[in-house]
Amino acid sequence: MKHPAALLLALGTLATLGGCGSVEPWVKPYEREILADPIMAFDRFPISTSYLDHVFEVREGARGAMGGAGGGCGCN
Amino acid sequence: MRRRLAITALTLAGAAPAVGAVLPEDRADLLYHRYDGGGVVVDGPSLLVRKAFFDKVSVAANYYVDMVSSASIDVETTASPYEEERTQYSLSADYLRGKIIYSAGFVNSSESDYEADTAFVSISQDMFGDLTTVSFTYKRGWNDVFRNVNGENDPTFQEQVETRSYAFGLTQVLTRSLVGSANFEVISDEGFLGSPYRSVRYVDPGTPNGFSFQSEVYPNTRQSNAASVRLKYFLPWWRAAVNGRYRYYDDTWGVTGHTAELTYTHPAFNRWIFEGSVRYYNQDAADFYSDLFPRRDFANFLARDKELSTFTSLTLGASVSYDFGIARLPWIQRGQLNLRYDLITIDYDDFRDARVDVDVPGTEPLYSLDANVVQAFVSIWF
């Protein structure tokens, strides 16, 4: 992939343009009680998740796409 | 062997809910971490504080320390055990405007032979009745690599690494009890990507053990692609949640990796939350990796970093959380004590224990390691 930034920009633009259409929410705001439960958070403890991601990243060749603002590594 | 973290911006991203353009909660976390495995012990504290102002801006700061004592197999094979300390400071801010959150942050990581600065900007937007959140993050890193000899910086060695990352995220409410997300990230590095300490070994019949070492040689560029999907489901029978995630990874060095995780979260006894997890990871080696090269200067690029070898890893984790309140401190809304333990096992398919004497080089037993990872932390919301 020669131009990852261009691809991501295109994807983001498409997704943003999609927001211009009117889509009827199929889960109403008053139906989101379960989703608001703390155990449904993708990341209950950012400080712990960040640490574990670091541990794995140091031990493994793979990196990235772990959500949040994105992981990274300055490993040498 | 030394590997470092320049930034994990995830820490600063906060424990935002799965969806919805709202700022993260005000909270503080103080964590003690300890990794013990393969002859390496790394421990230290981490402090993360997040506070919102005027319901529009949320600021987060993180202080993190790694105290390293290493007698790893790499160190025992070609170098001397060492101790060092890495300190990392992070600062970020989120600005909420309508259904959009703009974020920016900076991280500095410092140790005696590695200096890393990283900056990132991010934007996320809610759409489709707040059922969908789209985010994009750009990250840039500037790293200086040094080499220590007998505890002092070698003045003849100084290298740089520049890193760029582009990350795209999508979070989607699927049903009243199911939420999913997808992430895609491209990372490119340019500069000195090897280690100034690590060596590769090659067949050398003229030596008593039949092999010798030479410095590793890495390409100056690397680009990786990673894509992940994740689902979190609230069970219909009782209050509990199941989380599943898969990630595919490949890069221009020829490494491909698969990561699969499953987590079960179960509240009980009013104030307790228990969690169990299993994580599987498998990767194929880099194109220029070998445990034992046929001769010196066998190829343009040479690596014997076991993190670039073929291996399989399994991690079993368990955690327990206890909610508490402090009546005398009414400004604390609630608190939580947490203890987490993970057992990591790694079995290498083509990395051998060169410390073992054998008649024929390359017939040493394959290496494996177990690591115990402990985290103890307290969180308060205010």
Side-chain angles (χ1 to χ4, degrees), chain B residues 59-83:
Chain B
V59 176
N62 180 224
Y63 168 72
Y64 178 95
V65 176
D66 272 338
M67 287 179 285
V68 183
S69 173
S70 179
S72 69
I73 182 172
D74 302 315
V75 166
E76 290 194 335
T77 304
T78 59
S80 302
Y82 65 89
E83 294 186 353

Short mmCIF file of all heavy atoms in Angstrom, two decimals, chain B residues 59-83:
data_model
loop_
_atom_site.label_atom_id
_atom_site.label_comp_id
_atom_site.label_asym_id
_atom_site.label_seq_id
_atom_site.Cartn_x
_atom_site.Cartn_y
_atom_site.Cartn_z
N VAL B 59 -8.53 17.14 30.19
CA VAL B 59 -7.08 17.07 30.13
C VAL B 59 -6.61 15.82 30.88
O VAL B 59 -7.13 15.52 31.97
CB VAL B 59 -6.44 18.33 30.75
CG1 VAL B 59 -4.92 18.20 30.78
CG2 VAL B 59 -6.85 19.57 29.97
N ALA B 60 -5.65 15.10 30.31
CA ALA B 60 -5.12 13.89 30.95
C ALA B 60 -3.61 13.97 31.02
O ALA B 60 -2.96 14.46 30.08
CB ALA B 60 -5.54 12.64 30.18
N ALA B 61 -3.06 13.51 32.13
CA ALA B 61 -1.61 13.47 32.30
C ALA B 61 -1.22 12.10 32.85
O ALA B 61 -1.92 11.55 33.71
CB ALA B 61 -1.13 14.56 33.24
N ASN B 62 -0.13 11.56 32.36
CA ASN B 62 0.31 10.24 32.77
C ASN B 62 1.81 10.27 33.07
O ASN B 62 2.59 10.84 32.31
CB ASN B 62 0.02 9.22 31.67
CG ASN B 62 0.46 7.80 32.02
OD1 ASN B 62 1.04 7.10 31.21
ND2 ASN B 62 0.19 7.37 33.24
N TYR B 63 2.16 9.67 34.20
CA TYR B 63 3.57 9.50 34.58
C TYR B 63 3.80 8.00 34.73
O TYR B 63 3.07 7.33 35.44
CB TYR B 63 3.84 10.24 35.89
CG TYR B 63 5.18 9.91 36.53
CD1 TYR B 63 6.36 10.38 35.98
CD2 TYR B 63 5.24 9.14 37.70
CE1 TYR B 63 7.58 10.09 36.57
CE2 TYR B 63 6.46 8.84 38.29
CZ TYR B 63 7.62 9.33 37.72
OH TYR B 63 8.83 9.02 38.30
N TYR B 64 4.82 7.50 34.04
CA TYR B 64 5.01 6.05 33.97
C TYR B 64 6.50 5.74 34.10
O TYR B 64 7.34 6.42 33.51
CB TYR B 64 4.48 5.53 32.63
CG TYR B 64 4.66 4.06 32.40
CD1 TYR B 64 3.66 3.15 32.69
CD2 TYR B 64 5.86 3.57 31.88
CE1 TYR B 64 3.84 1.79 32.47
CE2 TYR B 64 6.04 2.21 31.67
CZ TYR B 64 5.03 1.33 31.95
OH TYR B 64 5.20 0.00 31.75
N VAL B 65 6.83 4.71 34.86
CA VAL B 65 8.24 4.33 35.05
C VAL B 65 8.39 2.83 34.85
O VAL B 65 7.59 2.03 35.34
CB VAL B 65 8.74 4.69 36.48
CG1 VAL B 65 10.17 4.20 36.68
CG2 VAL B 65 8.67 6.19 36.70
N ASP B 66 9.43 2.45 34.08
CA ASP B 66 9.88 1.06 33.96
C ASP B 66 11.24 0.95 34.62
O ASP B 66 12.18 1.64 34.22
CB ASP B 66 10.05 0.66 32.49
CG ASP B 66 8.77 0.13 31.87
OD1 ASP B 66 7.89 -0.32 32.62
OD2 ASP B 66 8.66 0.18 30.64
N MET B 67 11.35 0.12 35.65
CA MET B 67 12.66 -0.19 36.22
C MET B 67 13.03 -1.60 35.76
O MET B 67 12.35 -2.57 36.11
CB MET B 67 12.64 -0.07 37.73
CG MET B 67 12.57 1.39 38.18
SD MET B 67 12.49 1.62 39.96
CE MET B 67 10.80 1.16 40.29
N VAL B 68 14.08 -1.69 34.95
CA VAL B 68 14.40 -2.92 34.23
C VAL B 68 15.64 -3.57 34.84
O VAL B 68 16.66 -2.92 35.07
CB VAL B 68 14.67 -2.64 32.74
CG1 VAL B 68 14.95 -3.93 31.98
CG2 VAL B 68 13.53 -1.88 32.12
N SER B 69 15.54 -4.88 35.12
CA SER B 69 16.69 -5.68 35.50
C SER B 69 16.70 -6.86 34.53
O SER B 69 15.81 -7.71 34.57
CB SER B 69 16.56 -6.15 36.95
OG SER B 69 17.61 -7.05 37.24
N SER B 70 17.71 -6.89 33.65
CA SER B 70 17.65 -7.85 32.56
C SER B 70 18.83 -8.81 32.55
O SER B 70 19.99 -8.39 32.51
CB SER B 70 17.58 -7.14 31.21
OG SER B 70 17.55 -8.09 30.16
N ALA B 71 18.49 -10.09 32.59
CA ALA B 71 19.46 -11.15 32.30
C ALA B 71 18.76 -12.10 31.34
O ALA B 71 18.68 -13.31 31.57
CB ALA B 71 19.88 -11.86 33.58
N SER B 72 18.23 -11.53 30.25
CA SER B 72 17.47 -12.31 29.29
C SER B 72 18.40 -13.25 28.53
O SER B 72 19.63 -13.16 28.62
CB SER B 72 16.77 -11.38 28.29
OG SER B 72 17.73 -10.76 27.47
N ILE B 73 17.82 -14.14 27.75
CA ILE B 73 18.63 -15.10 26.98
C ILE B 73 19.54 -14.37 26.00
O ILE B 73 20.68 -14.77 25.79
CB ILE B 73 17.72 -16.12 26.26
CG1 ILE B 73 18.57 -17.15 25.51
CG2 ILE B 73 16.73 -15.44 25.32
CD1 ILE B 73 17.78 -18.29 24.93
N ASP B 74 19.06 -13.26 25.42
CA ASP B 74 19.90 -12.48 24.51
C ASP B 74 21.10 -11.90 25.25
O ASP B 74 22.23 -11.93 24.76
CB ASP B 74 19.10 -11.34 23.89
CG ASP B 74 17.89 -11.85 23.12
OD1 ASP B 74 18.04 -12.82 22.37
OD2 ASP B 74 16.80 -11.29 23.30
N VAL B 75 20.83 -11.36 26.43
CA VAL B 75 21.90 -10.76 27.22
C VAL B 75 22.90 -11.83 27.66
O VAL B 75 24.12 -11.64 27.57
CB VAL B 75 21.30 -10.03 28.44
CG1 VAL B 75 22.38 -9.69 29.44
CG2 VAL B 75 20.58 -8.76 27.99
N GLU B 76 22.39 -12.97 28.11
CA GLU B 76 23.29 -14.01 28.60
C GLU B 76 24.10 -14.64 27.47
O GLU B 76 25.19 -15.17 27.71
CB GLU B 76 22.48 -15.08 29.34
CG GLU B 76 21.92 -14.59 30.66
CD GLU B 76 21.43 -15.74 31.52
OE1 GLU B 76 21.09 -16.80 30.95
OE2 GLU B 76 21.40 -15.59 32.75
N THR B 77 23.56 -14.59 26.25
CA THR B 77 24.25 -15.22 25.13
C THR B 77 25.40 -14.35 24.61
O THR B 77 26.47 -14.84 24.29
CB THR B 77 23.26 -15.50 23.98
OG1 THR B 77 22.19 -16.30 24.48
CG2 THR B 77 23.95 -16.24 22.84
N THR B 78 25.15 -13.02 24.53
CA THR B 78 26.15 -12.18 23.87
C THR B 78 26.56 -10.94 24.65
O THR B 78 27.39 -10.18 24.16
CB THR B 78 25.62 -11.71 22.50
OG1 THR B 78 24.42 -10.96 22.71
CG2 THR B 78 25.34 -12.86 21.58
N ALA B 79 26.01 -10.70 25.83
CA ALA B 79 26.34 -9.46 26.53
C ALA B 79 26.30 -9.69 28.04
O ALA B 79 26.36 -10.83 28.49
CB ALA B 79 25.36 -8.35 26.12
N SER B 80 26.20 -8.60 28.81
CA SER B 80 26.19 -8.70 30.26
C SER B 80 24.85 -8.21 30.79
O SER B 80 24.25 -7.30 30.23
CB SER B 80 27.31 -7.84 30.85
OG SER B 80 28.55 -8.24 30.33
N PRO B 81 24.40 -8.80 31.91
CA PRO B 81 23.16 -8.31 32.52
C PRO B 81 23.26 -6.82 32.82
O PRO B 81 24.33 -6.29 33.08
CB PRO B 81 23.05 -9.14 33.80
CG PRO B 81 23.85 -10.37 33.53
CD PRO B 81 24.97 -9.93 32.65
N TYR B 82 22.12 -6.13 32.77
CA TYR B 82 22.13 -4.69 32.99
C TYR B 82 20.88 -4.28 33.76
O TYR B 82 19.90 -5.02 33.84
CB TYR B 82 22.21 -3.92 31.67
CG TYR B 82 21.00 -4.11 30.78
CD1 TYR B 82 19.89 -3.27 30.91
CD2 TYR B 82 20.95 -5.12 29.83
CE1 TYR B 82 18.78 -3.44 30.10
CE2 TYR B 82 19.85 -5.29 29.04
CZ TYR B 82 18.76 -4.46 29.18
OH TYR B 82 17.65 -4.64 28.39
N GLU B 83 20.95 -3.09 34.32
CA GLU B 83 19.79 -2.47 34.95
C GLU B 83 19.63 -1.08 34.38
O GLU B 83 20.62 -0.40 34.09
CB GLU B 83 19.95 -2.41 36.47
CG GLU B 83 19.96 -3.79 37.12
CD GLU B 83 19.97 -3.70 38.64
OE1 GLU B 83 20.09 -2.57 39.15
OE2 GLU B 83 19.85 -4.75 39.29
#
